[in-house]
Amino acid sequence: MTQQHWVRGDDSGLDIPATAQALREGGVAFLDRAFRASGALPADNRVAAITQAEDCFGGGTGSKLLLAVQYEKPQADLPEQLFVKFSRNFDDPLRDRSRHMMRSEIRFAALTRTPGFPIRVAQCLFADFNAETGSGLLITERVTYGAQGNEPHYLKCLDYELPQPLEHYRAIMRALARLSGTHKAGQLHPSFYQRFPYDLEKSIASEQMRYDADQVMRRVGRTCEFLARYPQLFPENLRDPAFAGRFAADVPGFYAREQDIRRLYFSEDDFIALCHWNGNIDNAWFWSGADGQLECGLLDWGQVGQMSVAQSIYGAFSGAEPELWDAHLDDIVATFADEFARCGGPQLDTEKLRDHMLLVTGWMGVAFLLDYPTLLERRVPDLADVPDYRDPRIRDDEDARVPLHMLTMFLNQWQRRDIGALARRLLDTPQ
């Protein structure tokens, strides 16, 4: 155990492991201290044994571990099958640069143990972070996908294989809105308001366009060439050369006013609340409630905080198929707004909420998704021979499937909803 692999937790004051090996060596003694400090483990019980400590690969930035324990006194409210996330990845310096991303998730997870928390999350047994080093630890229950009444795990951007996709997204929207509406009503534990304040200017500046205007337009050109080179990968409405021309003509004005666009959806107080930023289908688990309605819990709370609820809707719905966006966007927005108000938040103007969500879609696309054509050509060298986006060369490779889907979703909405014209209209209309 080297010194860097143990740090002092900022909240608990405990020495916490920054690596899986350190946790293994800390053993039941550490888990006993940690679970007792969080309140998960009663004083008259203890961790008796670790029965599994298996490295788990994939996803995210930090290392992960599948952990199983036995307690001296088994309790129904004390899960034995656990999941461990570390913010650090000492074996991958590139991933380790993102170690501070889990800070908000760890703070949030610890607070989900407070009374009256309104939605289902993976039960937190311990969570703490050391801000100086960026080392953090999160231990939760392990979700039992495909068992105990839960549906199987669904992968991101494979919704063409998802049963009843609209009902699943409605369930996600209700869960997202339940948290945000309860927060807006002032009904969460006071610690949430202390630990997650809102700063308008910081929110606007929190994400920056990565390229200057000339660099963006070169990427727009490559995107238009990509559409022309591989039309079989895209829906019919994106194959029209007229769309590529209009898209290329719209982006410079959108880029020039991108800070005004962000200010527009960050400045509406009624629309600002505590939100899950990435409630996509792969970060949820589903079951049928007593009334037969589909319900869901939410995982992976990285970058949780106060933000525009339009960002939360986008973060969840961005993985949906273009056909679902085209036919049911208003339904999805209304589902969120209705639950938000039912939980004590203000009644949101659904047209404005939809427009804000489309601006988020446009901003995210211009800021981050225009690199994807180059990425995809490198990832799938025989892309010209791929007949459509469901081909195994795309379907079975998440690093190809997700970028192609996100690019398609963004361009489809730019074409269907005319995001360029929408931005001009909203920015030129007094709010």
Side-chain angles (χ1 to χ4, degrees):
M1 290 186 289
T2 60
Q3 188 174 5
Q4 68 172 339
H5 291 180
W6 285 88
V7 298
R8 183 63 54 87
D10 292 339
D11 292 329
S12 70
L14 296 180
D15 288 337
I16 62 173
T19 67
Q21 182 58 29
L23 188 148
R24 289 186 181 100
E25 293 174 359
V28 297
F30 166 72
L31 294 177
D32 218 52
R33 290 194 302 272
F35 294 174
R36 215 175 297 284
S38 71
L41 187 68
D44 64 349
N45 203 351
R46 69 181 186 90
V47 181
I50 295 174
T51 58
Q52 180 192 23
E54 178 184 334
D55 290 327
C56 179
F57 300 98
T61 55
S63 302
K64 300 172 182 66
L65 191 69
L66 299 179
L67 187 70
V69 300
Q70 290 178 349
Y71 302 100
E72 186 176 73
K73 301 175 183 178
Q75 297 178 208
D77 60 348
L78 267 178
E80 296 182 349
Q81 301 294 311
L82 307 176
F83 182 66
V84 183
K85 291 176 70 173
F86 300 91
S87 65
R88 304 297 301 270
N89 192 324
F90 292 96
D91 296 328
D92 188 335
L94 183 61
R95 283 175 174 258
D96 196 51
R97 291 178 191 171
S98 301
R99 57 188 176 271
H100 288 278
M101 288 180 60
M102 268 186 69
R103 184 178 184 179
S104 61
E105 178 177 13
I106 286 171
R107 283 182 167 180
F108 178 84
L111 293 178
T112 61
R113 297 187 55 82
T114 57
F117 188 71
I119 66 171
R120 179 75 186 278
V121 296
Q123 181 182 339
C124 176
L125 281 83
F126 181 78
D128 208 350
F129 193 83
N130 177 274
E132 182 180 356
T133 63
S135 296
L137 172 68
L138 174 60
I139 306 177
T140 70
E141 68 173 310
R142 199 186 312 172
V143 174
T144 53
Y145 289 104
Q148 299 178 350
N150 296 324
E151 294 188 356
H153 185 233
Y154 301 118
L155 297 179
K156 177 181 281 189
C157 303
L158 268 180
D159 284 7
Y160 54 82
E161 299 178 357
L162 176 68
Q164 297 183 301
L166 180 58
E167 291 309 311
H168 284 81
Y169 280 102
R170 283 173 174 162
I172 292 174
M173 291 302 143
R174 288 192 296 269
L176 294 173
R178 203 169 296 142
L179 172 66
S180 297
T182 304
H183 172 266
K184 200 65 179 174
Q187 297 300 310
L188 292 180
H189 190 275
S191 297
F192 283 99
Y193 302 91
Q194 297 161 7
R195 302 302 293 270
F196 295 97
Y198 183 66
D199 184 321
L200 171 61
E201 297 304 324
K202 186 176 179 180
S203 296
I204 294 171
S206 62
E207 298 278 8
Q208 299 292 328
M209 292 280 182
R210 294 187 287 183
Y211 305 111
D212 63 28
D214 289 340
Q215 292 171 322
V216 166
M217 289 313 297
R218 284 199 291 274
R219 284 163 173 78
V220 168
R222 286 201 289 270
T223 299
C224 293
E225 291 169 3
F226 190 82
L227 286 169
R229 193 176 299 129
Y230 309 109
Q232 76 278 11
L233 301 179
F234 297 96
E236 190 67 36
N237 59 304
L238 298 183
R239 302 179 190 183
D240 183 354
F243 163 67
R246 180 160 59 85
F247 176 63
D250 278 344
V251 170
F254 190 95
Y255 175 89
R257 303 186 71 179
E258 58 98 7
Q259 288 292 298
D260 295 331
I261 289 168
R262 286 172 66 76
R263 185 171 295 278
L264 190 152
Y265 57 74
F266 276 124
S267 299
E268 291 268 359
D269 182 69
D270 282 354
F271 292 71
I272 304 299
L274 186 66
C275 292
H276 193 309
W277 160 234
N278 184 26
N280 220 296
I281 201 84
D282 62 323
N283 290 330
W285 78 99
F286 300 89
W287 65 92
S288 293
D291 60 356
Q293 180 172 262
L294 196 64
E295 302 289 348
C296 82
L298 294 170
L299 301 166
D300 196 0
W301 291 83
Q303 301 190 65
V304 60
Q306 289 202 59
M307 63 186 75
S308 167
V309 296
Q311 291 177 286
S312 186
I313 298 173
Y314 167 83
F317 201 51
S318 57
E321 286 288 284
E323 293 83 359
L324 204 67
W325 278 78
D326 294 346
H328 297 290
L329 179 58
D330 288 345
D331 181 326
I332 288 296
V333 169
T335 298
F336 182 97
D338 289 347
E339 186 71 8
F340 186 80
R342 191 191 69 79
C343 293
Q347 184 63 61
L348 301 178
D349 181 325
T350 54
E351 182 176 348
K352 180 180 287 189
L353 179 56
R354 181 201 63 210
D355 289 348
H356 285 190
M357 190 243 197
L358 290 170
L359 290 181
V360 172
T361 304
W363 193 92
M364 291 294 296
V366 173
F368 297 109
L369 305 186
L370 297 178
D371 280 331
Y372 284 171
T374 300
L375 182 154
L376 285 160
E377 288 186 313
R378 290 174 180 168
R379 188 76 189 179
V380 188
D382 55 349
L383 202 54
D385 298 327
V386 174
D388 58 42
Y389 72 102
R390 300 188 183 192
D391 184 88
R393 284 165 286 188
I394 302 293
R395 186 229 179 266
D396 298 339
D397 182 355
E398 183 176 81
D399 290 335
R401 181 183 74 246
V402 173
L404 179 58
H405 170 87
M406 297 299 287
L407 181 66
T408 302
M409 175 275 302
F410 156 59
L411 294 173
N412 182 65
Q413 286 308 294
W414 197 289
Q415 193 275 335
R416 294 290 194 193
R417 310 282 176 169
D418 202 352
I419 290 177
L422 173 67
R424 292 190 294 272
R425 176 172 63 81
L426 292 179
L427 292 175
D428 294 337
T429 301
Q431 299 298 307

